[in-house]
Amino acid sequence: MVLVFVTGNGHKFQEASCLFSQMGIDLEQADLGYPEVQADSLEEVAEFGIAWCKEKLKKPCFIEDAGIFIDVLNGFPGPYSKYVFQRIGNQGILKLLDDKMNRQATFRSVIALQDGLSTHLFIGETKGRIAHEAMGTGGFGYDPIFIPEKNDRTFAQMGMEEKNQLSHRGKSLYKLVNHFKERK
Ligand code: IMP
């Protein structure tokens, strides 16, 4: 079986391919540059994007939208994570939390699948904390400053398989894989 992952993010595609190949499903990347609306929830962003992809691609496909929600900042940057990363990056986030004791944060991932008939959402969440400094060279985005719970290393200090076992995206992808398994 071949499934299309619409994304321009090579890291996301590699993470998904790594997990899918273990399940015997081939993944194809389509970099369509779908429009990402600015909305108050990842679910809205994903639903808007997949409706656009459905029209454009006209075959079963999925997209994924992620964000980091920091407790002491009332969930900021959340759905605005991409914009905030581009503007202030990890050093900016570390500065915002400079004097904060509470460093709890949650990474969320929302996958929207269009299977030709309807749209399905699959959600993955990983709780953790923001490190005091950036650590590690792997992964992308906020990986060097996010430490998943029950761990003392950031996502950037882990290999892809280990990150997939713990991450928000690993969890939403796993639900997507199970959806196909159940339909077999
Ligand atoms: P988007 O899902 O591509 O819109 O991602 C929003 C922002 O979060 C971007 O700045 C990404 O680099 C970042 N991001 C998304 N997923 C991850 C992840 O798994 N680890 C670290 N940063 C991520």
Side-chain angles (χ1 to χ4, degrees):
M1 173 184 176
V2 183
L3 194 59
V4 180
F5 184 8
V6 182
T7 180
N9 184 326
H11 291 280
K12 284 188 181 185
F13 182 72
Q14 273 177 17
E15 287 179 10
S17 301
C18 171
L19 199 142
F20 273 65
S21 64
Q22 291 161 9
M23 310 282 180
I25 300 173
D26 285 331
L27 214 55
E28 226 174 64
Q29 182 178 10
D31 182 3
L32 299 182
Y34 67 87
E36 278 194 43
V37 283
Q38 200 62 278
D40 285 341
S41 76
L42 300 180
E43 284 82 351
E44 277 177 75
V45 178
E47 278 178 343
F48 184 88
I50 198 68
W52 188 90
C53 293
K54 182 189 174 198
E55 286 309 307
K56 197 86 178 167
L57 210 58
K58 301 206 187 305
K59 60 178 166 178
C61 60
F62 73 94
I63 62 171
E64 191 259 3
D65 200 58
I68 191 165
F69 296 73
I70 301 174
D71 287 15
V72 77
L73 303 179
N74 293 326
F76 182 82
Y80 310 104
S81 294
K82 188 172 186 173
Y83 181 77
V84 169
F85 188 79
Q86 284 165 349
R87 293 285 154 153
I88 64 171
N90 286 330
Q91 290 312 318
I93 295 288
L94 291 175
K95 225 179 219 167
L96 284 177
L97 296 194
D98 214 10
D99 56 343
K100 303 283 191 278
M101 293 286 284
N102 178 1
R103 306 185 73 86
Q104 299 303 307
T106 303
F107 237 125
R108 293 190 77 233
S109 158
V110 175
I111 286 177
L113 165 76
Q114 174 52 242
D115 62 8
L117 294 170
S118 50
T119 297
H120 306 262
L121 295 187
F122 304 92
I123 294 161
E125 278 189 9
T126 295
K127 289 189 187 306
R129 63 184 194 277
I130 303 297
H132 286 275
E133 58 180 348
M135 295 184 295
T137 52
F140 67 101
Y142 297 100
D143 279 349
I145 61 165
F146 185 78
I147 303 175
E149 67 180 355
K150 299 184 192 135
N151 241 287
D152 53 10
R153 284 171 303 135
T154 66
F155 276 158
Q157 292 175 298
M158 300 176 181
M160 199 175 283
E161 270 183 41
E162 189 179 4
K163 181 184 170 190
N164 268 346
Q165 277 166 14
L166 303 170
S167 80
H168 49 303
R169 183 168 307 102
K171 290 170 190 165
S172 58
L173 285 167
Y174 196 71
K175 287 182 186 172
L176 175 65
V177 169
N178 275 339
H179 170 80
F180 284 108
K181 276 193 180 163
E182 279 164 16
R183 285 181 9 162
K184 266 190 186 170

